[in-house]
Amino acid sequence: MINDHIATNIAKVLQQVSSAVEKYQREPASVTVMAVSKTQPADAVRSAAAIGISDFGENYLQEALEKIEACSDLALNWHFIGPIQSNKTRPIAAHFDWVHSVDREKLLRRLSEQRDPSLAPLNVCIQVNVSQESSKSGVAPEELPKLLDLAAELPNLRLRGLMAIPAPAEGFTAQKQSCDALASLFAAAQQKHPSIDTLSMGMSADLEAAIAAGSTMLRIGTAIFGPRQV
């Protein structure tokens, strides 16, 4: 049964995305909405999936594994977007389609070694600490090229792009400034690595600025599911 509240919220989000895509002359198919379903029950995932959302982002491994199992009958793409402890890479490599939060060499090597070669390559985005915040995960921009080179070489991985969680900012201009910083790194990375096609950037509060700056994948939680459940 579809949750009417979630259905209404998704319609609003998709309209916002459509309006921004048109405003900034983006191709309609160039922006994917990932529903961030952390702390949400499997029924919420099923509601969103029934409305057409196929990409879901999770931060907490054990909770995510339970939802992946509960929704295993659905054709969904599961994205791990939270901080990664090196002792948790094996289940991430085994059960997810994408990982957006890789920020060090050890994680890349472990994910590659632990991904079953019979599965499709694990799609990887390198997380960049674009705002240089000590409280946030992510590689420093100057260290990014080395990680990109390694990700492109390792077996069982497919380098797809960059991810960032810019510092919160008030207003479109300030938000776009942070997004533009990652977009510049993205453009430079594409020059060397043609497989890169994903700029994972933009959340509920700054999706217009992210689309204006070139985001190809938005991570939307609150605007779809409402306040986080605890």
Side-chain angles (χ1 to χ4, degrees), residues 67-116:
K67 263 182 272 189
I68 291 171
E69 175 64 25
C71 298
S72 60
D73 58 309
L74 302 177
L76 305 178
N77 300 311
W78 291 97
H79 302 248
F80 193 83
I81 60 174
I84 303 174
Q85 296 173 298
S86 57
N87 64 345
K88 301 291 178 62
T89 53
R90 187 174 297 278
I92 291 173
H95 295 282
F96 285 82
D97 304 291
W98 288 72
V99 182
H100 291 238
S101 43
V102 180
D103 62 358
R104 53 195 187 277
E105 178 179 334
K106 182 179 181 180
L107 295 179
L108 280 172
R109 293 192 183 280
R110 288 176 68 91
L111 290 168
S112 176
E113 291 166 2
Q114 294 166 352
R115 181 71 167 182
D116 187 335

mmCIF file of all heavy atoms in Angstrom, residues 67-116:
data_model
loop_
_atom_site.group_PDB
_atom_site.id
_atom_site.type_symbol
_atom_site.label_atom_id
_atom_site.label_comp_id
_atom_site.label_asym_id
_atom_site.label_seq_id
_atom_site.Cartn_x
_atom_site.Cartn_y
_atom_site.Cartn_z
ATOM 1 N N LYS A 67 16.933 -3.954 5.391
ATOM 2 C CA LYS A 67 16.008 -3.423 4.381
ATOM 3 C C LYS A 67 16.261 -4.022 3.004
ATOM 4 O O LYS A 67 15.316 -4.304 2.257
ATOM 5 C CB LYS A 67 16.145 -1.896 4.324
ATOM 6 C CG LYS A 67 15.105 -1.169 5.151
ATOM 7 C CD LYS A 67 15.242 0.320 5.035
ATOM 8 C CE LYS A 67 16.222 0.825 6.065
ATOM 9 N NZ LYS A 67 16.241 2.294 6.156
ATOM 10 N N ILE A 68 17.528 -4.201 2.669
ATOM 11 C CA ILE A 68 17.853 -4.811 1.375
ATOM 12 C C ILE A 68 17.231 -6.205 1.285
ATOM 13 O O ILE A 68 16.655 -6.580 0.258
ATOM 14 C CB ILE A 68 19.384 -4.861 1.178
ATOM 15 C CG1 ILE A 68 19.934 -3.440 0.983
ATOM 16 C CG2 ILE A 68 19.750 -5.735 -0.021
ATOM 17 C CD1 ILE A 68 21.447 -3.354 0.997
ATOM 18 N N GLU A 69 17.316 -6.955 2.371
ATOM 19 C CA GLU A 69 16.721 -8.291 2.398
ATOM 20 C C GLU A 69 15.200 -8.201 2.312
ATOM 21 O O GLU A 69 14.547 -8.949 1.562
ATOM 22 C CB GLU A 69 17.137 -9.013 3.678
ATOM 23 C CG GLU A 69 16.482 -10.382 3.871
ATOM 24 C CD GLU A 69 16.857 -11.392 2.809
ATOM 25 O OE1 GLU A 69 17.934 -11.249 2.207
ATOM 26 O OE2 GLU A 69 16.058 -12.324 2.575
ATOM 27 N N ALA A 70 14.608 -7.284 3.059
ATOM 28 C CA ALA A 70 13.148 -7.151 3.091
ATOM 29 C C ALA A 70 12.579 -6.706 1.747
ATOM 30 O O ALA A 70 11.417 -6.984 1.437
ATOM 31 C CB ALA A 70 12.739 -6.165 4.178
ATOM 32 N N CYS A 71 13.408 -6.021 0.953
ATOM 33 C CA CYS A 71 12.949 -5.514 -0.347
ATOM 34 C C CYS A 71 13.624 -6.238 -1.514
ATOM 35 O O CYS A 71 13.699 -5.704 -2.631
ATOM 36 C CB CYS A 71 13.226 -4.014 -0.449
ATOM 37 S SG CYS A 71 12.366 -3.013 0.784
ATOM 38 N N SER A 72 14.102 -7.437 -1.264
ATOM 39 C CA SER A 72 14.887 -8.152 -2.272
ATOM 40 C C SER A 72 14.083 -8.538 -3.510
ATOM 41 O O SER A 72 14.648 -8.862 -4.554
ATOM 42 C CB SER A 72 15.522 -9.407 -1.663
ATOM 43 O OG SER A 72 14.516 -10.279 -1.167
ATOM 44 N N ASP A 73 12.752 -8.484 -3.399
ATOM 45 C CA ASP A 73 11.905 -8.797 -4.555
ATOM 46 C C ASP A 73 11.761 -7.615 -5.506
ATOM 47 O O ASP A 73 11.190 -7.763 -6.597
ATOM 48 C CB ASP A 73 10.518 -9.238 -4.080
ATOM 49 C CG ASP A 73 9.836 -8.174 -3.213
ATOM 50 O OD1 ASP A 73 10.484 -7.698 -2.258
ATOM 51 O OD2 ASP A 73 8.671 -7.834 -3.492
ATOM 52 N N LEU A 74 12.273 -6.454 -5.119
ATOM 53 C CA LEU A 74 12.173 -5.254 -5.941
ATOM 54 C C LEU A 74 13.485 -4.992 -6.679
ATOM 55 O O LEU A 74 14.559 -5.278 -6.156
ATOM 56 C CB LEU A 74 11.836 -4.035 -5.069
ATOM 57 C CG LEU A 74 10.551 -4.113 -4.244
ATOM 58 C CD1 LEU A 74 10.411 -2.868 -3.380
ATOM 59 C CD2 LEU A 74 9.332 -4.301 -5.136
ATOM 60 N N ALA A 75 13.394 -4.433 -7.861
ATOM 61 C CA ALA A 75 14.588 -4.098 -8.654
ATOM 62 C C ALA A 75 15.066 -2.700 -8.249
ATOM 63 O O ALA A 75 14.700 -1.695 -8.866
ATOM 64 C CB ALA A 75 14.269 -4.148 -10.138
ATOM 65 N N LEU A 76 15.868 -2.642 -7.188
ATOM 66 C CA LEU A 76 16.342 -1.374 -6.640
ATOM 67 C C LEU A 76 17.853 -1.272 -6.727
ATOM 68 O O LEU A 76 18.562 -2.289 -6.741
ATOM 69 C CB LEU A 76 15.898 -1.243 -5.182
ATOM 70 C CG LEU A 76 14.399 -1.377 -4.901
ATOM 71 C CD1 LEU A 76 14.135 -1.263 -3.416
ATOM 72 C CD2 LEU A 76 13.597 -0.348 -5.680
ATOM 73 N N ASN A 77 18.352 -0.051 -6.758
ATOM 74 C CA ASN A 77 19.792 0.214 -6.667
ATOM 75 C C ASN A 77 20.069 0.746 -5.265
ATOM 76 O O ASN A 77 19.511 1.769 -4.867
ATOM 77 C CB ASN A 77 20.218 1.269 -7.697
ATOM 78 C CG ASN A 77 19.936 0.847 -9.114
ATOM 79 O OD1 ASN A 77 20.279 -0.257 -9.523
ATOM 80 N ND2 ASN A 77 19.302 1.722 -9.892
ATOM 81 N N TRP A 78 20.943 0.052 -4.556
ATOM 82 C CA TRP A 78 21.256 0.435 -3.178
ATOM 83 C C TRP A 78 22.609 1.140 -3.134
ATOM 84 O O TRP A 78 23.608 0.626 -3.635
ATOM 85 C CB TRP A 78 21.257 -0.795 -2.278
ATOM 86 C CG TRP A 78 19.884 -1.372 -2.095
ATOM 87 C CD1 TRP A 78 19.322 -2.406 -2.781
ATOM 88 C CD2 TRP A 78 18.890 -0.912 -1.164
ATOM 89 N NE1 TRP A 78 18.032 -2.626 -2.338
ATOM 90 C CE2 TRP A 78 17.739 -1.731 -1.355
ATOM 91 C CE3 TRP A 78 18.850 0.087 -0.202
ATOM 92 C CZ2 TRP A 78 16.581 -1.572 -0.600
ATOM 93 C CZ3 TRP A 78 17.685 0.248 0.550
ATOM 94 C CH2 TRP A 78 16.568 -0.573 0.347
ATOM 95 N N HIS A 79 22.606 2.313 -2.488
ATOM 96 C CA HIS A 79 23.792 3.161 -2.411
ATOM 97 C C HIS A 79 24.210 3.289 -0.944
ATOM 98 O O HIS A 79 23.404 3.702 -0.110
ATOM 99 C CB HIS A 79 23.484 4.562 -2.939
ATOM 100 C CG HIS A 79 22.976 4.609 -4.349
ATOM 101 N ND1 HIS A 79 23.717 5.163 -5.379
ATOM 102 C CD2 HIS A 79 21.810 4.187 -4.909
ATOM 103 C CE1 HIS A 79 23.009 5.085 -6.506
ATOM 104 N NE2 HIS A 79 21.849 4.498 -6.241
ATOM 105 N N PHE A 80 25.463 2.971 -0.631
ATOM 106 C CA PHE A 80 25.956 3.239 0.716
ATOM 107 C C PHE A 80 26.570 4.635 0.705
ATOM 108 O O PHE A 80 27.493 4.917 -0.075
ATOM 109 C CB PHE A 80 26.991 2.206 1.175
ATOM 110 C CG PHE A 80 27.251 2.302 2.656
ATOM 111 C CD1 PHE A 80 26.402 1.678 3.556
ATOM 112 C CD2 PHE A 80 28.308 3.048 3.149
ATOM 113 C CE1 PHE A 80 26.598 1.803 4.931
ATOM 114 C CE2 PHE A 80 28.519 3.178 4.518
ATOM 115 C CZ PHE A 80 27.662 2.545 5.405
ATOM 116 N N ILE A 81 26.071 5.506 1.583
ATOM 117 C CA ILE A 81 26.484 6.913 1.549
ATOM 118 C C ILE A 81 27.045 7.396 2.884
ATOM 119 O O ILE A 81 27.376 8.576 3.020
ATOM 120 C CB ILE A 81 25.317 7.821 1.108
ATOM 121 C CG1 ILE A 81 24.131 7.719 2.067
ATOM 122 C CG2 ILE A 81 24.868 7.476 -0.319
ATOM 123 C CD1 ILE A 81 22.992 8.697 1.755
ATOM 124 N N GLY A 82 27.163 6.506 3.865
ATOM 125 C CA GLY A 82 27.638 6.914 5.179
ATOM 126 C C GLY A 82 29.131 6.664 5.361
ATOM 127 O O GLY A 82 29.781 6.048 4.518
ATOM 128 N N PRO A 83 29.694 7.137 6.484
ATOM 129 C CA PRO A 83 31.102 6.859 6.786
ATOM 130 C C PRO A 83 31.345 5.352 6.827
ATOM 131 O O PRO A 83 30.503 4.586 7.286
ATOM 132 C CB PRO A 83 31.300 7.497 8.169
ATOM 133 C CG PRO A 83 30.223 8.529 8.266
ATOM 134 C CD PRO A 83 29.048 7.974 7.519
ATOM 135 N N ILE A 84 32.501 4.941 6.331
ATOM 136 C CA ILE A 84 32.806 3.517 6.219
ATOM 137 C C ILE A 84 33.927 3.145 7.183
ATOM 138 O O ILE A 84 35.027 3.705 7.119
ATOM 139 C CB ILE A 84 33.242 3.151 4.791
ATOM 140 C CG1 ILE A 84 32.156 3.549 3.786
ATOM 141 C CG2 ILE A 84 33.527 1.655 4.688
ATOM 142 C CD1 ILE A 84 32.571 3.360 2.340
ATOM 143 N N GLN A 85 33.641 2.188 8.056
ATOM 144 C CA GLN A 85 34.690 1.589 8.878
ATOM 145 C C GLN A 85 35.321 0.453 8.073
ATOM 146 O O GLN A 85 34.608 -0.307 7.404
ATOM 147 C CB GLN A 85 34.101 1.042 10.178
ATOM 148 C CG GLN A 85 33.513 2.115 11.073
ATOM 149 C CD GLN A 85 32.780 1.491 12.264
ATOM 150 O OE1 GLN A 85 31.806 0.760 12.099
ATOM 151 N NE2 GLN A 85 33.270 1.789 13.448
ATOM 152 N N SER A 86 36.630 0.330 8.135
ATOM 153 C CA SER A 86 37.300 -0.654 7.280
ATOM 154 C C SER A 86 36.865 -2.087 7.571
ATOM 155 O O SER A 86 36.914 -2.945 6.690
ATOM 156 C CB SER A 86 38.823 -0.516 7.401
ATOM 157 O OG SER A 86 39.233 -0.652 8.739
ATOM 158 N N ASN A 87 36.392 -2.355 8.808
ATOM 159 C CA ASN A 87 35.940 -3.714 9.113
ATOM 160 C C ASN A 87 34.518 -3.984 8.612
ATOM 161 O O ASN A 87 33.982 -5.065 8.834
ATOM 162 C CB ASN A 87 36.035 -3.990 10.620
ATOM 163 C CG ASN A 87 35.109 -3.117 11.444
ATOM 164 O OD1 ASN A 87 34.584 -2.114 10.968
ATOM 165 N ND2 ASN A 87 34.900 -3.485 12.691
ATOM 166 N N LYS A 88 33.896 -3.000 7.960
ATOM 167 C CA LYS A 88 32.543 -3.179 7.422
ATOM 168 C C LYS A 88 32.536 -3.249 5.890
ATOM 169 O O LYS A 88 31.458 -3.276 5.278
ATOM 170 C CB LYS A 88 31.654 -2.016 7.875
ATOM 171 C CG LYS A 88 31.519 -1.862 9.395
ATOM 172 C CD LYS A 88 30.729 -2.999 10.013
ATOM 173 C CE LYS A 88 30.634 -2.882 11.530
ATOM 174 N NZ LYS A 88 29.928 -1.671 11.977
ATOM 175 N N THR A 89 33.701 -3.260 5.281
ATOM 176 C CA THR A 89 33.725 -3.214 3.814
ATOM 177 C C THR A 89 33.195 -4.492 3.170
ATOM 178 O O THR A 89 32.619 -4.436 2.078
ATOM 179 C CB THR A 89 35.154 -2.954 3.292
ATOM 180 O OG1 THR A 89 36.045 -3.926 3.871
ATOM 181 C CG2 THR A 89 35.618 -1.549 3.646
ATOM 182 N N ARG A 90 33.372 -5.646 3.815
ATOM 183 C CA ARG A 90 32.956 -6.897 3.171
ATOM 184 C C ARG A 90 31.445 -6.927 2.900
ATOM 185 O O ARG A 90 31.028 -7.196 1.767
ATOM 186 C CB ARG A 90 33.393 -8.112 4.000
ATOM 187 C CG ARG A 90 33.143 -9.446 3.289
ATOM 188 C CD ARG A 90 33.717 -10.613 4.081
ATOM 189 N NE ARG A 90 35.155 -10.536 4.226
ATOM 190 C CZ ARG A 90 36.018 -10.932 3.290
ATOM 191 N NH1 ARG A 90 35.577 -11.430 2.142
ATOM 192 N NH2 ARG A 90 37.308 -10.836 3.501
ATOM 193 N N PRO A 91 30.579 -6.668 3.895
ATOM 194 C CA PRO A 91 29.145 -6.668 3.587
ATOM 195 C C PRO A 91 28.736 -5.543 2.649
ATOM 196 O O PRO A 91 27.787 -5.695 1.870
ATOM 197 C CB PRO A 91 28.471 -6.542 4.957
ATOM 198 C CG PRO A 91 29.526 -6.059 5.885
ATOM 199 C CD PRO A 91 30.824 -6.549 5.349
ATOM 200 N N ILE A 92 29.433 -4.423 2.691
ATOM 201 C CA ILE A 92 29.128 -3.346 1.744
ATOM 202 C C ILE A 92 29.440 -3.803 0.328
ATOM 203 O O ILE A 92 28.637 -3.636 -0.598
ATOM 204 C CB ILE A 92 29.906 -2.065 2.098
ATOM 205 C CG1 ILE A 92 29.381 -1.463 3.406
ATOM 206 C CG2 ILE A 92 29.798 -1.031 0.978
ATOM 207 C CD1 ILE A 92 30.194 -0.297 3.933
ATOM 208 N N ALA A 93 30.605 -4.417 0.152
ATOM 209 C CA ALA A 93 31.001 -4.911 -1.170
ATOM 210 C C ALA A 93 30.049 -5.981 -1.680
ATOM 211 O O ALA A 93 29.829 -6.121 -2.884
ATOM 212 C CB ALA A 93 32.427 -5.444 -1.122
ATOM 213 N N ALA A 94 29.470 -6.746 -0.764
ATOM 214 C CA ALA A 94 28.623 -7.876 -1.155
ATOM 215 C C ALA A 94 27.197 -7.463 -1.483
ATOM 216 O O ALA A 94 26.546 -8.103 -2.325
ATOM 217 C CB ALA A 94 28.614 -8.922 -0.042
ATOM 218 N N HIS A 95 26.687 -6.410 -0.840
ATOM 219 C CA HIS A 95 25.245 -6.161 -0.904
ATOM 220 C C HIS A 95 24.833 -4.850 -1.573
ATOM 221 O O HIS A 95 23.642 -4.673 -1.865
ATOM 222 C CB HIS A 95 24.659 -6.195 0.505
ATOM 223 C CG HIS A 95 24.756 -7.538 1.158
ATOM 224 N ND1 HIS A 95 23.904 -8.574 0.848
ATOM 225 C CD2 HIS A 95 25.622 -8.028 2.082
ATOM 226 C CE1 HIS A 95 24.231 -9.649 1.564
ATOM 227 N NE2 HIS A 95 25.263 -9.338 2.328
ATOM 228 N N PHE A 96 25.769 -3.945 -1.818
ATOM 229 C CA PHE A 96 25.412 -2.659 -2.400
ATOM 230 C C PHE A 96 25.797 -2.588 -3.872
ATOM 231 O O PHE A 96 26.697 -3.287 -4.329
ATOM 232 C CB PHE A 96 26.068 -1.510 -1.621
ATOM 233 C CG PHE A 96 25.404 -1.232 -0.302
ATOM 234 C CD1 PHE A 96 25.710 -1.991 0.819
ATOM 235 C CD2 PHE A 96 24.445 -0.236 -0.184
ATOM 236 C CE1 PHE A 96 25.083 -1.762 2.044
ATOM 237 C CE2 PHE A 96 23.814 0.007 1.037
ATOM 238 C CZ PHE A 96 24.138 -0.753 2.140
ATOM 239 N N ASP A 97 25.117 -1.705 -4.589
ATOM 240 C CA ASP A 97 25.428 -1.455 -5.994
ATOM 241 C C ASP A 97 26.389 -0.275 -6.154
ATOM 242 O O ASP A 97 27.156 -0.223 -7.116
ATOM 243 C CB ASP A 97 24.140 -1.151 -6.769
ATOM 244 C CG ASP A 97 23.114 -2.267 -6.623
ATOM 245 O OD1 ASP A 97 23.349 -3.363 -7.158
ATOM 246 O OD2 ASP A 97 22.087 -2.044 -5.929
ATOM 247 N N TRP A 98 26.294 0.643 -5.218
ATOM 248 C CA TRP A 98 27.096 1.870 -5.248
ATOM 249 C C TRP A 98 27.659 2.143 -3.854
ATOM 250 O O TRP A 98 27.015 1.839 -2.852
ATOM 251 C CB TRP A 98 26.239 3.082 -5.617
ATOM 252 C CG TRP A 98 25.776 3.194 -7.031
ATOM 253 C CD1 TRP A 98 24.826 2.431 -7.656
ATOM 254 C CD2 TRP A 98 26.199 4.168 -7.992
ATOM 255 N NE1 TRP A 98 24.637 2.868 -8.938
ATOM 256 C CE2 TRP A 98 25.465 3.935 -9.174
ATOM 257 C CE3 TRP A 98 27.131 5.213 -7.965
ATOM 258 C CZ2 TRP A 98 25.625 4.708 -10.320
ATOM 259 C CZ3 TRP A 98 27.289 5.989 -9.103
ATOM 260 C CH2 TRP A 98 26.545 5.731 -10.264
ATOM 261 N N VAL A 99 28.828 2.784 -3.829
ATOM 262 C CA VAL A 99 29.382 3.348 -2.594
ATOM 263 C C VAL A 99 29.830 4.774 -2.909
ATOM 264 O O VAL A 99 30.642 4.984 -3.817
ATOM 265 C CB VAL A 99 30.571 2.533 -2.053
ATOM 266 C CG1 VAL A 99 31.063 3.144 -0.745
ATOM 267 C CG2 VAL A 99 30.187 1.082 -1.829
ATOM 268 N N HIS A 100 29.295 5.742 -2.161
ATOM 269 C CA HIS A 100 29.587 7.154 -2.437
ATOM 270 C C HIS A 100 30.600 7.751 -1.463
ATOM 271 O O HIS A 100 31.006 8.889 -1.653
ATOM 272 C CB HIS A 100 28.299 7.985 -2.314
ATOM 273 C CG HIS A 100 27.293 7.719 -3.371
ATOM 274 N ND1 HIS A 100 26.802 8.702 -4.215
ATOM 275 C CD2 HIS A 100 26.653 6.580 -3.739
ATOM 276 C CE1 HIS A 100 25.900 8.176 -5.037
ATOM 277 N NE2 HIS A 100 25.796 6.889 -4.761
ATOM 278 N N SER A 101 30.958 7.040 -0.426
ATOM 279 C CA SER A 101 31.690 7.657 0.689
ATOM 280 C C SER A 101 33.098 7.089 0.863
ATOM 281 O O SER A 101 33.602 6.993 1.976
ATOM 282 C CB SER A 101 30.885 7.476 1.976
ATOM 283 O OG SER A 101 30.349 6.161 2.073
ATOM 284 N N VAL A 102 33.740 6.770 -0.247
ATOM 285 C CA VAL A 102 35.119 6.266 -0.194
ATOM 286 C C VAL A 102 36.072 7.452 -0.131
ATOM 287 O O VAL A 102 35.995 8.360 -0.964
ATOM 288 C CB VAL A 102 35.433 5.394 -1.424
ATOM 289 C CG1 VAL A 102 36.861 4.889 -1.365
ATOM 290 C CG2 VAL A 102 34.460 4.222 -1.508
ATOM 291 N N ASP A 103 36.957 7.447 0.855
ATOM 292 C CA ASP A 103 37.846 8.602 1.004
ATOM 293 C C ASP A 103 39.287 8.231 1.346
ATOM 294 O O ASP A 103 40.075 9.101 1.721
ATOM 295 C CB ASP A 103 37.293 9.572 2.059
ATOM 296 C CG ASP A 103 37.194 8.940 3.444
ATOM 297 O OD1 ASP A 103 37.524 7.742 3.589
ATOM 298 O OD2 ASP A 103 36.784 9.653 4.385
ATOM 299 N N ARG A 104 39.628 6.940 1.212
ATOM 300 C CA ARG A 104 41.014 6.570 1.458
ATOM 301 C C ARG A 104 41.361 5.272 0.728
ATOM 302 O O ARG A 104 40.498 4.469 0.390
ATOM 303 C CB ARG A 104 41.323 6.451 2.944
ATOM 304 C CG ARG A 104 40.416 5.550 3.741
ATOM 305 C CD ARG A 104 40.607 5.811 5.241
ATOM 306 N NE ARG A 104 39.880 4.879 6.070
ATOM 307 C CZ ARG A 104 38.593 4.996 6.385
ATOM 308 N NH1 ARG A 104 37.891 6.001 5.899
ATOM 309 N NH2 ARG A 104 38.005 4.106 7.168
ATOM 310 N N GLU A 105 42.649 5.114 0.508
ATOM 311 C CA GLU A 105 43.162 4.005 -0.292
ATOM 312 C C GLU A 105 42.770 2.650 0.282
ATOM 313 O O GLU A 105 42.391 1.725 -0.460
ATOM 314 C CB GLU A 105 44.687 4.115 -0.388
ATOM 315 C CG GLU A 105 45.349 2.999 -1.162
ATOM 316 C CD GLU A 105 46.858 3.162 -1.249
ATOM 317 O OE1 GLU A 105 47.353 4.307 -1.171
ATOM 318 O OE2 GLU A 105 47.536 2.129 -1.396
ATOM 319 N N LYS A 106 42.867 2.491 1.585
ATOM 320 C CA LYS A 106 42.563 1.208 2.216
ATOM 321 C C LYS A 106 41.152 0.739 1.882
ATOM 322 O O LYS A 106 40.928 -0.453 1.619
ATOM 323 C CB LYS A 106 42.735 1.324 3.733
ATOM 324 C CG LYS A 106 42.492 0.026 4.495
ATOM 325 C CD LYS A 106 42.710 0.222 5.988
ATOM 326 C CE LYS A 106 42.505 -1.080 6.761
ATOM 327 N NZ LYS A 106 42.712 -0.884 8.218
ATOM 328 N N LEU A 107 40.198 1.654 1.895
ATOM 329 C CA LEU A 107 38.822 1.286 1.590
ATOM 330 C C LEU A 107 38.680 0.819 0.148
ATOM 331 O O LEU A 107 38.000 -0.168 -0.137
ATOM 332 C CB LEU A 107 37.885 2.465 1.847
ATOM 333 C CG LEU A 107 37.747 2.947 3.283
ATOM 334 C CD1 LEU A 107 36.791 4.138 3.351
ATOM 335 C CD2 LEU A 107 37.257 1.822 4.201
ATOM 336 N N LEU A 108 39.315 1.533 -0.765
ATOM 337 C CA LEU A 108 39.250 1.125 -2.170
ATOM 338 C C LEU A 108 39.788 -0.288 -2.356
ATOM 339 O O LEU A 108 39.171 -1.117 -3.033
ATOM 340 C CB LEU A 108 40.050 2.096 -3.033
ATOM 341 C CG LEU A 108 39.379 3.418 -3.399
ATOM 342 C CD1 LEU A 108 40.373 4.345 -4.082
ATOM 343 C CD2 LEU A 108 38.164 3.190 -4.298
ATOM 344 N N ARG A 109 40.928 -0.556 -1.759
ATOM 345 C CA ARG A 109 41.552 -1.877 -1.941
ATOM 346 C C ARG A 109 40.678 -2.972 -1.332
ATOM 347 O O ARG A 109 40.513 -4.043 -1.935
ATOM 348 C CB ARG A 109 42.945 -1.888 -1.335
ATOM 349 C CG ARG A 109 43.923 -0.970 -2.084
ATOM 350 C CD ARG A 109 45.357 -1.208 -1.661
ATOM 351 N NE ARG A 109 46.279 -0.301 -2.323
ATOM 352 C CZ ARG A 109 46.734 -0.458 -3.570
ATOM 353 N NH1 ARG A 109 46.347 -1.516 -4.283
ATOM 354 N NH2 ARG A 109 47.573 0.416 -4.093
ATOM 355 N N ARG A 110 40.124 -2.728 -0.164
ATOM 356 C CA ARG A 110 39.294 -3.742 0.485
ATOM 357 C C ARG A 110 38.006 -3.984 -0.296
ATOM 358 O O ARG A 110 37.578 -5.133 -0.481
ATOM 359 C CB ARG A 110 38.990 -3.341 1.924
ATOM 360 C CG ARG A 110 40.191 -3.448 2.856
ATOM 361 C CD ARG A 110 39.860 -2.942 4.256
ATOM 362 N NE ARG A 110 38.920 -3.810 4.932
ATOM 363 C CZ ARG A 110 39.260 -4.843 5.716
ATOM 364 N NH1 ARG A 110 40.534 -5.152 5.892
ATOM 365 N NH2 ARG A 110 38.333 -5.566 6.323
ATOM 366 N N LEU A 111 37.376 -2.931 -0.755
ATOM 367 C CA LEU A 111 36.147 -3.093 -1.531
ATOM 368 C C LEU A 111 36.402 -3.878 -2.815
ATOM 369 O O LEU A 111 35.597 -4.727 -3.213
ATOM 370 C CB LEU A 111 35.541 -1.731 -1.860
ATOM 371 C CG LEU A 111 34.935 -0.963 -0.680
ATOM 372 C CD1 LEU A 111 34.638 0.482 -1.076
ATOM 373 C CD2 LEU A 111 33.658 -1.640 -0.171
ATOM 374 N N SER A 112 37.516 -3.608 -3.452
ATOM 375 C CA SER A 112 37.859 -4.343 -4.669
ATOM 376 C C SER A 112 38.116 -5.816 -4.382
ATOM 377 O O SER A 112 37.605 -6.702 -5.083
ATOM 378 C CB SER A 112 39.084 -3.710 -5.328
ATOM 379 O OG SER A 112 39.499 -4.460 -6.451
ATOM 380 N N GLU A 113 38.900 -6.082 -3.342
ATOM 381 C CA GLU A 113 39.237 -7.466 -2.994
ATOM 382 C C GLU A 113 38.004 -8.256 -2.561
ATOM 383 O O GLU A 113 37.915 -9.469 -2.800
ATOM 384 C CB GLU A 113 40.269 -7.473 -1.860
ATOM 385 C CG GLU A 113 41.650 -6.972 -2.278
ATOM 386 C CD GLU A 113 42.531 -6.664 -1.073
ATOM 387 O OE1 GLU A 113 42.075 -6.883 0.083
ATOM 388 O OE2 GLU A 113 43.662 -6.184 -1.281
ATOM 389 N N GLN A 114 37.039 -7.581 -1.927
ATOM 390 C CA GLN A 114 35.904 -8.278 -1.321
ATOM 391 C C GLN A 114 34.657 -8.290 -2.202
ATOM 392 O O GLN A 114 33.660 -8.919 -1.844
ATOM 393 C CB GLN A 114 35.600 -7.638 0.037
ATOM 394 C CG GLN A 114 36.737 -7.853 1.035
ATOM 395 C CD GLN A 114 36.648 -6.977 2.272
ATOM 396 O OE1 GLN A 114 35.816 -6.082 2.357
ATOM 397 N NE2 GLN A 114 37.508 -7.230 3.239
ATOM 398 N N ARG A 115 34.715 -7.654 -3.352
ATOM 399 C CA ARG A 115 33.595 -7.699 -4.296
ATOM 400 C C ARG A 115 33.675 -8.999 -5.090
ATOM 401 O O ARG A 115 34.683 -9.295 -5.715
ATOM 402 C CB ARG A 115 33.660 -6.511 -5.251
ATOM 403 C CG ARG A 115 32.522 -6.444 -6.273
ATOM 404 C CD ARG A 115 31.216 -6.085 -5.613
ATOM 405 N NE ARG A 115 30.178 -5.715 -6.610
ATOM 406 C CZ ARG A 115 28.962 -5.332 -6.296
ATOM 407 N NH1 ARG A 115 28.584 -5.255 -5.020
ATOM 408 N NH2 ARG A 115 28.081 -5.015 -7.231
ATOM 409 N N ASP A 116 32.610 -9.764 -5.060
ATOM 410 C CA ASP A 116 32.561 -11.027 -5.793
ATOM 411 C C ASP A 116 32.684 -10.736 -7.291
ATOM 412 O O ASP A 116 31.869 -9.980 -7.840
ATOM 413 C CB ASP A 116 31.233 -11.725 -5.496
ATOM 414 C CG ASP A 116 31.163 -13.131 -6.072
ATOM 415 O OD1 ASP A 116 31.864 -13.418 -7.062
ATOM 416 O OD2 ASP A 116 30.387 -13.949 -5.535
#
